Amino acid sequence: MKLLLIEDEPKIARAIKMGLEQERSTVEVMHDGPSGLAAALGDSYDAIILDRMLPGGMDGLEICETIREKGVKTPVLMLTAKGQIRDRVNGLNAGADDYLVKPFSFEELLARLRALTRRPHETNGTTLHVADLSLDTISYDVQRAGKPISLSQTEYSLLEYLMRNKNRVLSKTNIINHVWDFDADILPNTVEAYMGYLRNKIDKPFDKPLLHTVRGFGYRIGGDPNGDS
Ligand code: CA
């Protein structure tokens, strides 16, 4: 995917760009209103990630309104500050397709982008599977062996990230970058703690463990020598 990111906070812009590039997207970044608008009008993208508050005398709302007036139909995901409900409404009125409230995790951003850029023929395949464990990325239903499993938001994001990368070893750093908020100060043993919570829910009540700790490297779901996935 080719994406345009208009975001003035360098830390957030860098983290989003890096994460999306790992997902094999091309990301062009603009740091203020006027250059963002010029890019949005000057080139075609699969989606635009647009911060609400921008320097340069033109904010996200104006950019969105202007590109819609000029006939640009590219999906726009608007980023808004926490709790500003009026911002969301204004954003949607200005022609944004969806909004995401800061702070958000990379997985949330990715899920919204996937939903926005999904072509009609891609509406299937929203369920991820590892052995008898399934996760529906639209309804957030998680089941193992037909039994519903209830997860907290962080547990869900963690499991989705693991399942999207099944049979692959993911480092703690990788996991932190994808699952937790960009601004969150988290310790490496936070990941261990959440892995413990997940194990208690998705592995402990069942005979066969799906979550594996790979000493010195990180974690993996599925792919054990008995071929469970
Ligand atoms: Ca901003």
Short mmCIF file of all heavy atoms in Angstrom, two decimals, residues 5-58:
data_model
loop_
_atom_site.label_atom_id
_atom_site.label_comp_id
_atom_site.label_asym_id
_atom_site.label_seq_id
_atom_site.Cartn_x
_atom_site.Cartn_y
_atom_site.Cartn_z
N LEU A 5 1.08 10.13 5.29
CA LEU A 5 0.92 10.42 6.70
C LEU A 5 1.19 11.90 6.93
O LEU A 5 2.26 12.40 6.60
CB LEU A 5 1.90 9.56 7.51
CG LEU A 5 2.08 9.90 8.99
CD1 LEU A 5 0.78 9.70 9.77
CD2 LEU A 5 3.18 9.02 9.60
N ILE A 6 0.19 12.62 7.46
CA ILE A 6 0.36 14.05 7.75
C ILE A 6 0.29 14.19 9.26
O ILE A 6 -0.79 14.11 9.86
CB ILE A 6 -0.71 14.91 7.04
CG1 ILE A 6 -0.76 14.57 5.55
CG2 ILE A 6 -0.41 16.39 7.24
CD1 ILE A 6 -1.89 15.24 4.77
N GLU A 7 1.43 14.34 9.89
CA GLU A 7 1.53 14.33 11.37
C GLU A 7 2.75 15.16 11.76
O GLU A 7 3.84 14.94 11.26
CB GLU A 7 1.68 12.88 11.83
CG GLU A 7 2.15 12.67 13.26
CD GLU A 7 1.16 13.16 14.30
OE1 GLU A 7 0.17 12.46 14.56
OE2 GLU A 7 1.39 14.26 14.85
N ASP A 8 2.54 16.13 12.65
CA ASP A 8 3.65 17.02 13.01
C ASP A 8 4.50 16.53 14.17
O ASP A 8 5.61 16.99 14.36
CB ASP A 8 3.13 18.43 13.32
CG ASP A 8 2.10 18.42 14.44
OD1 ASP A 8 1.13 17.64 14.34
OD2 ASP A 8 2.27 19.17 15.41
N GLU A 9 3.99 15.59 14.98
CA GLU A 9 4.80 15.12 16.10
C GLU A 9 5.82 14.10 15.60
O GLU A 9 5.46 13.00 15.19
CB GLU A 9 3.91 14.46 17.15
CG GLU A 9 3.43 15.42 18.21
CD GLU A 9 2.41 14.76 19.12
OE1 GLU A 9 2.84 13.96 19.96
OE2 GLU A 9 1.22 15.03 18.95
N PRO A 10 7.12 14.46 15.66
CA PRO A 10 8.14 13.60 15.04
C PRO A 10 8.15 12.18 15.59
O PRO A 10 8.29 11.23 14.83
CB PRO A 10 9.46 14.30 15.37
CG PRO A 10 9.11 15.68 15.79
CD PRO A 10 7.70 15.66 16.28
N LYS A 11 7.95 12.03 16.90
CA LYS A 11 8.03 10.70 17.51
C LYS A 11 6.92 9.79 16.97
O LYS A 11 7.15 8.64 16.60
CB LYS A 11 7.93 10.84 19.03
CG LYS A 11 8.28 9.58 19.79
CD LYS A 11 8.11 9.79 21.30
CE LYS A 11 8.01 8.45 22.01
NZ LYS A 11 7.49 8.60 23.37
N ILE A 12 5.71 10.32 16.93
CA ILE A 12 4.58 9.54 16.45
C ILE A 12 4.74 9.26 14.95
O ILE A 12 4.53 8.14 14.49
CB ILE A 12 3.24 10.27 16.73
CG1 ILE A 12 3.05 10.38 18.25
CG2 ILE A 12 2.06 9.54 16.10
CD1 ILE A 12 1.75 11.03 18.64
N ALA A 13 5.15 10.29 14.20
CA ALA A 13 5.30 10.11 12.75
C ALA A 13 6.32 9.02 12.45
O ALA A 13 6.09 8.15 11.61
CB ALA A 13 5.71 11.43 12.10
N ARG A 14 7.44 9.06 13.17
CA ARG A 14 8.49 8.05 12.94
C ARG A 14 8.01 6.65 13.26
O ARG A 14 8.22 5.70 12.52
CB ARG A 14 9.70 8.34 13.83
CG ARG A 14 10.90 8.93 13.09
CD ARG A 14 12.19 8.80 13.89
NE ARG A 14 12.07 9.13 15.30
CZ ARG A 14 12.18 10.36 15.79
NH1 ARG A 14 12.40 11.38 14.98
NH2 ARG A 14 12.07 10.56 17.08
N ALA A 15 7.32 6.51 14.41
CA ALA A 15 6.85 5.19 14.84
C ALA A 15 5.83 4.62 13.85
O ALA A 15 5.90 3.44 13.48
CB ALA A 15 6.24 5.29 16.23
N ILE A 16 4.92 5.46 13.38
CA ILE A 16 3.90 4.99 12.43
C ILE A 16 4.56 4.59 11.11
O ILE A 16 4.28 3.53 10.55
CB ILE A 16 2.82 6.08 12.18
CG1 ILE A 16 2.01 6.32 13.45
CG2 ILE A 16 1.89 5.67 11.04
CD1 ILE A 16 0.96 7.42 13.30
N LYS A 17 5.45 5.45 10.64
CA LYS A 17 6.12 5.17 9.36
C LYS A 17 6.89 3.85 9.44
O LYS A 17 6.77 2.99 8.56
CB LYS A 17 7.07 6.32 9.02
CG LYS A 17 7.83 6.16 7.71
CD LYS A 17 8.73 7.39 7.47
CE LYS A 17 9.83 7.15 6.46
NZ LYS A 17 9.37 6.99 5.09
N MET A 18 7.64 3.67 10.54
CA MET A 18 8.44 2.46 10.68
C MET A 18 7.56 1.21 10.70
O MET A 18 7.83 0.23 10.05
CB MET A 18 9.24 2.53 11.97
CG MET A 18 10.72 2.37 11.78
SD MET A 18 11.57 2.85 13.29
CE MET A 18 10.94 1.64 14.46
N GLY A 19 6.50 1.29 11.50
CA GLY A 19 5.59 0.15 11.63
C GLY A 19 4.94 -0.21 10.30
O GLY A 19 4.86 -1.38 9.92
N LEU A 20 4.50 0.81 9.56
CA LEU A 20 3.81 0.55 8.29
C LEU A 20 4.79 0.04 7.24
O LEU A 20 4.42 -0.77 6.38
CB LEU A 20 3.10 1.81 7.80
CG LEU A 20 1.88 2.21 8.64
CD1 LEU A 20 1.36 3.57 8.21
CD2 LEU A 20 0.77 1.16 8.51
N GLU A 21 6.02 0.50 7.30
CA GLU A 21 7.01 -0.01 6.35
C GLU A 21 7.32 -1.48 6.60
O GLU A 21 7.55 -2.23 5.67
CB GLU A 21 8.28 0.86 6.39
CG GLU A 21 8.05 2.16 5.64
CD GLU A 21 9.20 3.15 5.74
OE1 GLU A 21 10.11 2.94 6.56
OE2 GLU A 21 9.16 4.14 4.99
N GLN A 22 7.27 -1.87 7.88
CA GLN A 22 7.45 -3.30 8.20
C GLN A 22 6.30 -4.12 7.63
O GLN A 22 6.45 -5.30 7.36
CB GLN A 22 7.52 -3.50 9.71
CG GLN A 22 8.91 -3.24 10.26
CD GLN A 22 8.93 -3.33 11.78
OE1 GLN A 22 7.94 -3.71 12.41
NE2 GLN A 22 10.06 -2.98 12.36
N GLU A 23 5.15 -3.48 7.48
CA GLU A 23 3.99 -4.16 6.89
C GLU A 23 4.03 -4.03 5.36
O GLU A 23 3.01 -4.21 4.70
CB GLU A 23 2.69 -3.55 7.41
CG GLU A 23 2.50 -3.64 8.91
CD GLU A 23 2.22 -5.05 9.38
OE1 GLU A 23 1.50 -5.77 8.67
OE2 GLU A 23 2.74 -5.43 10.45
N ARG A 24 5.15 -3.64 4.86
CA ARG A 24 5.41 -3.53 3.41
C ARG A 24 4.59 -2.44 2.72
O ARG A 24 4.20 -2.58 1.56
CB ARG A 24 5.17 -4.88 2.71
CG ARG A 24 6.24 -5.89 3.11
CD ARG A 24 6.11 -7.15 2.28
NE ARG A 24 6.39 -8.31 3.11
CZ ARG A 24 5.60 -9.36 3.22
NH1 ARG A 24 4.49 -9.42 2.52
NH2 ARG A 24 5.94 -10.37 3.98
N SER A 25 4.32 -1.37 3.47
CA SER A 25 3.69 -0.22 2.83
C SER A 25 4.75 0.85 2.58
O SER A 25 5.77 0.88 3.24
CB SER A 25 2.62 0.37 3.75
OG SER A 25 1.48 -0.46 3.75
N THR A 26 4.47 1.71 1.60
CA THR A 26 5.32 2.86 1.37
C THR A 26 4.65 4.04 2.06
O THR A 26 3.45 4.24 1.88
CB THR A 26 5.40 3.17 -0.14
OG1 THR A 26 5.74 1.96 -0.80
CG2 THR A 26 6.44 4.22 -0.44
N VAL A 27 5.41 4.79 2.84
CA VAL A 27 4.80 5.87 3.60
C VAL A 27 5.52 7.19 3.32
O VAL A 27 6.72 7.30 3.51
CB VAL A 27 4.86 5.60 5.12
CG1 VAL A 27 4.09 6.68 5.88
CG2 VAL A 27 4.32 4.22 5.45
N GLU A 28 4.76 8.16 2.84
CA GLU A 28 5.31 9.49 2.66
C GLU A 28 4.83 10.33 3.84
O GLU A 28 3.65 10.28 4.18
CB GLU A 28 4.76 10.07 1.36
CG GLU A 28 5.78 10.88 0.60
CD GLU A 28 5.29 11.11 -0.81
OE1 GLU A 28 5.22 10.13 -1.59
OE2 GLU A 28 4.94 12.25 -1.11
N VAL A 29 5.74 11.08 4.46
CA VAL A 29 5.36 11.85 5.65
C VAL A 29 5.46 13.34 5.38
O VAL A 29 6.45 13.82 4.84
CB VAL A 29 6.27 11.49 6.85
CG1 VAL A 29 5.78 12.22 8.11
CG2 VAL A 29 6.29 10.00 7.10
N MET A 30 4.42 14.07 5.77
CA MET A 30 4.43 15.53 5.72
C MET A 30 4.16 16.03 7.13
O MET A 30 3.35 15.46 7.85
CB MET A 30 3.35 16.05 4.77
CG MET A 30 3.59 15.66 3.33
SD MET A 30 5.10 16.39 2.67
CE MET A 30 5.43 15.28 1.30
N HIS A 31 4.85 17.11 7.52
CA HIS A 31 4.81 17.54 8.91
C HIS A 31 3.99 18.81 9.16
O HIS A 31 3.92 19.28 10.28
CB HIS A 31 6.23 17.74 9.44
CG HIS A 31 7.04 16.47 9.43
ND1 HIS A 31 6.89 15.50 10.39
CD2 HIS A 31 7.96 16.00 8.56
CE1 HIS A 31 7.71 14.50 10.13
NE2 HIS A 31 8.37 14.77 9.02
N ASP A 32 3.41 19.38 8.13
CA ASP A 32 2.55 20.55 8.38
C ASP A 32 1.39 20.57 7.39
O ASP A 32 1.37 19.78 6.43
CB ASP A 32 3.36 21.86 8.31
CG ASP A 32 3.94 22.08 6.94
OD1 ASP A 32 3.16 22.28 5.98
OD2 ASP A 32 5.19 22.04 6.80
N GLY A 33 0.44 21.47 7.63
CA GLY A 33 -0.78 21.52 6.84
C GLY A 33 -0.55 21.74 5.35
O GLY A 33 -0.97 20.93 4.52
N PRO A 34 0.11 22.85 4.98
CA PRO A 34 0.23 23.16 3.54
C PRO A 34 0.97 22.07 2.74
O PRO A 34 0.52 21.72 1.64
CB PRO A 34 1.02 24.48 3.54
CG PRO A 34 0.69 25.11 4.86
CD PRO A 34 0.54 23.98 5.83
N SER A 35 2.07 21.51 3.30
CA SER A 35 2.78 20.49 2.52
C SER A 35 1.95 19.20 2.47
O SER A 35 1.99 18.45 1.49
CB SER A 35 4.18 20.23 3.07
OG SER A 35 4.12 19.77 4.39
N GLY A 36 1.18 18.95 3.54
CA GLY A 36 0.30 17.79 3.55
C GLY A 36 -0.76 17.88 2.47
O GLY A 36 -1.01 16.94 1.73
N LEU A 37 -1.36 19.07 2.38
CA LEU A 37 -2.41 19.28 1.37
C LEU A 37 -1.82 19.14 -0.04
O LEU A 37 -2.41 18.47 -0.89
CB LEU A 37 -3.02 20.68 1.53
CG LEU A 37 -4.07 21.04 0.47
CD1 LEU A 37 -5.31 20.14 0.58
CD2 LEU A 37 -4.49 22.50 0.57
N ALA A 38 -0.63 19.73 -0.25
CA ALA A 38 0.00 19.65 -1.57
C ALA A 38 0.25 18.19 -1.95
O ALA A 38 -0.02 17.78 -3.09
CB ALA A 38 1.31 20.43 -1.57
N ALA A 39 0.71 17.38 -0.99
CA ALA A 39 0.97 15.97 -1.28
C ALA A 39 -0.33 15.24 -1.59
O ALA A 39 -0.42 14.46 -2.54
CB ALA A 39 1.69 15.31 -0.11
N ALA A 40 -1.37 15.50 -0.78
CA ALA A 40 -2.65 14.82 -0.96
C ALA A 40 -3.26 15.11 -2.33
O ALA A 40 -3.93 14.26 -2.92
CB ALA A 40 -3.62 15.21 0.15
N LEU A 41 -3.04 16.34 -2.81
CA LEU A 41 -3.60 16.72 -4.12
C LEU A 41 -2.68 16.32 -5.27
O LEU A 41 -3.14 16.12 -6.39
CB LEU A 41 -3.84 18.24 -4.18
CG LEU A 41 -4.92 18.78 -3.26
CD1 LEU A 41 -4.96 20.31 -3.33
CD2 LEU A 41 -6.29 18.20 -3.61
N GLY A 42 -1.39 16.18 -4.96
CA GLY A 42 -0.41 16.00 -6.03
C GLY A 42 -0.14 14.56 -6.41
O GLY A 42 0.45 14.28 -7.45
N ASP A 43 -0.55 13.62 -5.58
CA ASP A 43 -0.20 12.23 -5.85
C ASP A 43 -1.38 11.35 -5.44
O ASP A 43 -2.29 11.83 -4.76
CB ASP A 43 1.05 11.85 -5.03
CG ASP A 43 1.86 10.75 -5.71
OD1 ASP A 43 1.29 10.04 -6.57
OD2 ASP A 43 3.04 10.60 -5.36
N SER A 44 -1.40 10.08 -5.85
CA SER A 44 -2.51 9.24 -5.41
C SER A 44 -2.01 8.22 -4.39
O SER A 44 -0.92 7.67 -4.51
CB SER A 44 -3.18 8.56 -6.60
OG SER A 44 -2.37 7.57 -7.12
N TYR A 45 -2.85 7.99 -3.38
CA TYR A 45 -2.50 7.11 -2.27
C TYR A 45 -3.64 6.13 -2.02
O TYR A 45 -4.77 6.39 -2.41
CB TYR A 45 -2.25 7.93 -1.00
CG TYR A 45 -1.12 8.92 -1.13
CD1 TYR A 45 -1.36 10.23 -1.55
CD2 TYR A 45 0.19 8.55 -0.85
CE1 TYR A 45 -0.32 11.13 -1.69
CE2 TYR A 45 1.24 9.45 -0.99
CZ TYR A 45 0.98 10.73 -1.41
OH TYR A 45 2.00 11.63 -1.55
N ASP A 46 -3.31 5.03 -1.32
CA ASP A 46 -4.37 4.09 -0.94
C ASP A 46 -5.14 4.60 0.27
O ASP A 46 -6.31 4.27 0.44
CB ASP A 46 -3.76 2.72 -0.62
CG ASP A 46 -3.15 2.10 -1.86
OD1 ASP A 46 -3.90 1.89 -2.83
OD2 ASP A 46 -1.93 1.87 -1.88
N ALA A 47 -4.47 5.39 1.10
CA ALA A 47 -5.15 6.01 2.24
C ALA A 47 -4.30 7.16 2.76
O ALA A 47 -3.09 7.20 2.54
CB ALA A 47 -5.39 4.99 3.35
N ILE A 48 -4.97 8.08 3.47
CA ILE A 48 -4.28 9.21 4.08
C ILE A 48 -4.53 9.17 5.58
O ILE A 48 -5.68 9.04 6.02
CB ILE A 48 -4.79 10.56 3.51
CG1 ILE A 48 -4.54 10.61 1.99
CG2 ILE A 48 -4.12 11.74 4.21
CD1 ILE A 48 -5.21 11.79 1.28
N ILE A 49 -3.45 9.23 6.35
CA ILE A 49 -3.57 9.31 7.81
C ILE A 49 -3.32 10.77 8.16
O ILE A 49 -2.24 11.30 7.88
CB ILE A 49 -2.54 8.40 8.50
CG1 ILE A 49 -2.67 6.97 7.98
CG2 ILE A 49 -2.71 8.43 10.02
CD1 ILE A 49 -1.46 6.11 8.29
N LEU A 50 -4.32 11.40 8.75
CA LEU A 50 -4.30 12.85 8.86
C LEU A 50 -4.49 13.30 10.30
O LEU A 50 -5.54 13.05 10.90
CB LEU A 50 -5.43 13.39 7.97
CG LEU A 50 -5.71 14.88 7.93
CD1 LEU A 50 -4.48 15.66 7.51
CD2 LEU A 50 -6.85 15.15 6.95
N ASP A 51 -3.48 13.95 10.85
CA ASP A 51 -3.61 14.48 12.21
C ASP A 51 -4.55 15.69 12.19
O ASP A 51 -4.57 16.46 11.24
CB ASP A 51 -2.22 14.87 12.74
CG ASP A 51 -2.25 15.19 14.22
OD1 ASP A 51 -3.13 14.65 14.92
OD2 ASP A 51 -1.41 15.97 14.67
N ARG A 52 -5.32 15.83 13.26
CA ARG A 52 -6.30 16.92 13.33
C ARG A 52 -5.62 18.28 13.50
O ARG A 52 -5.94 19.24 12.83
CB ARG A 52 -7.24 16.61 14.49
CG ARG A 52 -8.13 17.71 14.98
CD ARG A 52 -9.35 17.88 14.10
NE ARG A 52 -10.25 18.86 14.69
CZ ARG A 52 -10.03 20.16 14.72
NH1 ARG A 52 -8.94 20.66 14.19
NH2 ARG A 52 -10.89 20.98 15.29
N MET A 53 -4.68 18.36 14.48
CA MET A 53 -4.02 19.63 14.78
C MET A 53 -2.67 19.66 14.08
O MET A 53 -1.81 18.81 14.35
CB MET A 53 -3.80 19.77 16.29
CG MET A 53 -5.08 19.76 17.10
SD MET A 53 -6.11 21.20 16.80
CE MET A 53 -5.15 22.42 17.70
N LEU A 54 -2.47 20.65 13.21
CA LEU A 54 -1.23 20.73 12.44
C LEU A 54 -0.73 22.18 12.40
O LEU A 54 -1.54 23.11 12.39
CB LEU A 54 -1.46 20.26 11.01
CG LEU A 54 -1.73 18.77 10.78
CD1 LEU A 54 -2.27 18.55 9.38
CD2 LEU A 54 -0.48 17.95 11.02
N PRO A 55 0.57 22.36 12.35
CA PRO A 55 1.10 23.73 12.20
C PRO A 55 1.03 24.17 10.73
O PRO A 55 0.76 23.35 9.85
CB PRO A 55 2.55 23.58 12.64
CG PRO A 55 2.91 22.17 12.33
CD PRO A 55 1.63 21.36 12.45
N GLY A 56 1.26 25.44 10.51
CA GLY A 56 1.34 25.95 9.14
C GLY A 56 0.09 26.66 8.69
O GLY A 56 -0.08 26.98 7.51
N GLY A 57 -0.84 26.89 9.64
CA GLY A 57 -2.02 27.67 9.30
C GLY A 57 -3.12 26.88 8.62
O GLY A 57 -4.08 27.45 8.10
N MET A 58 -2.99 25.57 8.60
CA MET A 58 -4.06 24.75 8.00
C MET A 58 -4.15 23.44 8.77
O MET A 58 -3.16 22.72 8.87
CB MET A 58 -3.72 24.48 6.53
CG MET A 58 -4.73 23.62 5.84
SD MET A 58 -4.29 23.35 4.12
CE MET A 58 -4.83 24.88 3.39
#
